[in-house]
Amino acid sequence: QVQLVESGGGLVQVGGSLRLSCAASGRTFSRYNMGWFRQAPGKEREFVSAITSSGPSAYYTDSVKGRFTISRDNAKNTVALQMNSLKPEDTAVYYCAAGQIFPGRHANQYNYWGQGTQVTVSS
């Protein structure tokens, strides 16, 4: 069992940066691949990024490549998403998730989810 809690969301202007963090409970965190998803109003939840259980490999959806960086610290049971050069279309609720499949581009490939954190990019 893994419980996930996201933080770090907020309101930022176009071109700004935010760093999202996801804190996990449980001693099995390091066994899971981790992913970030986002959901904008009226849209389906979409994949953003994923990282393997030990962290050497990461995967990004095309729209965030070069702007977002995923990382994890298994000693602290955390995964982060550094978001730079933010655009209005990045506005969404961001969720972290834990699963066994990498890169896990579909929500149904994840077993555990956080409650989400709102990111709003204003123009």
Side-chain angles (χ1 to χ4, degrees), residues 17-112:
S17 298
L18 281 175
R19 183 177 179 85
L20 304 183
S21 184
C22 175
S25 64
R27 295 180 291 177
T28 60
F29 173 75
S30 61
R31 299 178 185 177
Y32 290 93
N33 301 313
M34 298 297 296
W36 284 97
F37 285 73
R38 64 187 180 187
Q39 188 166 18
K43 295 187 177 182
E44 293 186 354
R45 192 168 297 190
E46 67 168 346
F47 171 81
V48 175
S49 180
I51 189 167
T52 51
S53 57
S54 56
S57 297
Y59 186 88
Y60 301 91
T61 193
D62 286 346
S63 62
V64 308
K65 283 181 181 177
R67 300 189 298 123
F68 290 12
T69 303
I70 190 171
S71 62
R72 69 188 293 163
D73 185 337
N74 284 344
K76 297 181 179 179
N77 279 13
T78 59
V79 61
L81 186 69
Q82 177 67 43
M83 306 186 296
N84 299 327
S85 303
L86 284 162
K87 305 176 181 180
E89 52 265 41
D90 295 318
T91 294
V93 177
Y94 283 71
Y95 299 88
C96 69
Q100 302 286 1
I101 296 173
F102 182 81
R105 289 173 290 177
H106 304 286
N108 60 11
Q109 294 173 319
Y110 290 84
N111 305 101
Y112 304 102

